[in-house]
Amino acid sequence: MTKPGVPLRAEERKAILVVAGMKLREVLAGIEILQITGPTESEISSLAYDSRKVRTGGMFFALRGEKTDGNAFVPTAIANGAAAIASEQPAPADLPAGLVWAQVRHARRALAIAAANIFGHPADALELAAVTGTNGKTTTAYLIDSICRAAGHRTGLFGTISYCTPAGVRKAATTTPESLDFQELLAEVRDARGTHVALEASSHSLVMDRLWGCRFAAAVFTNLTRDHLNFHKTFEGYFAAKRRLFEGTGAGAPRAGVVNTDDPYGAQLIGLAGRTLTYGLKNGADLTTKKFALSFGGLEFAAQTPTGAIEVRSSLVGRINVYNILAAIGAALAMNIPREAIEVGIRQLDCVPGRFQRIDEGQPFLVVVDYAHADDALRNLISTARELNPHGRIITLFGAGGERDRSTRPLMGEAAGSLSDLIILSSDNPRSEDPLRIINDVVVGLQKVKGKYVVEPDREKAIGLAMDEAHPGDIVLLAGKGHETYQILRDRTFEFDDREMARRALRQRGYGKPAA
C-alpha cells in the first residue's frame, strides 16, 4: 500500500529526533522511582533500550526480555557514553562517578513514560485506534486507516507489515513497536499534521507495556484462538494480555470498545471501555448484517449500525472479512467519522499484502498467498476458499515456524488435512530447529484425520510441486508467510517471498510472461 504524505522539513525532523538539553527530572517525570543515585540535574541527550545504540549523554533502560536481561549490557551502555541508567535493580556499589542510576519499579513502563516525555506526549494530540485479537488485526487496521484517509485525515498505520506515517513507510521490526519507537512514530505523525493512527496491539506488546501511557479512542477485539502459548503459557494468560487494552494502558480505559460477541471471549470485555459497540453475525450485536454476498470479486452487504445502515462494497473476500469490516466500522463510529467516508474508505482498500492475495499469471486455477500460520487461521483460510469455490480441489501448502509453540503443529495438520484435498507440507521459518522434526510434528495431526499429503522441505520446490498438482478450477493456497520477504534458517536468513516464488513458478510453466 502506498501512503500519501509530505516529507518532514529539516526543522520538523530536528524537533522529533534531537532532545539535547532536557533535564533528567523532566525525562523521569511521572515514573515510579524507588531510589535515585547520582547528579540528578544531568541533561539527557537521548534514550535507548539497546546498549549498542546509546549515545554520549544518553539514558539506557535495562529491560528484561524473553531471552536476555538488559542489565547484563549496562557496562556496554556506560562504555558508549551513557549518562544515566534506569533499571529495576538497585545501583551497584561500584557506580562510576557522575553516572545517574534510577531504580524504577517497572522498567518497561518507565521507558514508555520517558519516551512520551521526550517527544512531548504525541498521543494526546492524536485519535488512536488499536486492534487486538488472534486473527484479523492487520486487515482491520488497514480498513480503519483507509476510512480515516477517506475522511480527509492524515494518518499513521503501524502493524505486522510496516510502519507508515505521512513522512514515509518503514519495515516493521515487530507487530507493535517498542514504546520508544512507538512514541517517536506518533510524534512523526503529529508533527506532519496528522490526526489519526490505527495500529495492531499484539499480546506481547500489551504484556511488555509498549503502549503504556496512551489512551485510545477505540479498542477493537477481533477473536481469540490458540496462539503464542510458548510466551503466555496458558490460554487464560493469553486472553489476560488482550484484556489489558480494554482495562487501559496507564492513561484510562479506551473511550470505546469494539467487541466481537460471536467470539466467546468477547462478552468478557463488554463494559470495560467507556462505552461498548458489539459486532457479529448473531447474538443481537450493535453492528451486524442480515445477509451478504460472497464471491472472488469481493463483498457486498448492508451493515446495520446504531446510526443507520452503511452500504458496504469491498474487494476483500470471505466471511472473515465481513467481521473485519464490521469491526472497522465500529472503530470509525467511535471516532465520529461520517457514514459517507466509511463507505468510501472500505471501497478504496483494494487488498492487504499477504492476506488472501491472489497471484494471477493467466493460469486456469487460482493461487492465493495468505499469512495463516496457526490452526484456526488455516481453518478460516481453507473454509473461505471452499465457500467461494465449492467444486474445485483445495491444495494447501504450509509449514510451521520453528522456536514457537510446538503443541500447535499437530493442530495445524489436523485443521488443514480435514479441509484440503491435498497438503504439501514444507518449511516456514524453521529458525534453529530441524525442518524435518517440525514437519513430523505436523504429520501427527495429518495422520489423525487421514489427510492426503506429500512432504517437500524446500519451500521453493514445494511451490513448484503445488503448481504441477493443480488442475483447472482448483485453488492453491500458499499459507504461513503472507507478506514476508525472507526465510529464517538455523545459519542464515535469505530473501524469500511466496508471491514472487509463485509468479516465477507459474511463468516457468508457461503462464504469463516468460521466466527470466
Side-chain angles (χ1 to χ4, degrees), residues 340-362:
E340 295 80 3
I342 295 174
E343 292 177 344
V344 172
I346 294 170
R347 188 166 63 247
Q348 287 182 341
L349 182 64
D350 293 329
C351 71
V352 178
R355 285 9 179 223
F356 211 90
Q357 185 173 349
R358 291 177 59 179
I359 306 299
D360 188 1
E361 292 290 336

Side-chain angles (χ1 to χ4, degrees), residues 414-430:
E414 188 174 343
S418 63
L419 295 170
S420 305
D421 296 286
L422 174 64
I423 297 293
I424 298 178
L425 198 51
S426 189
S427 296
D428 192 310
N429 290 318

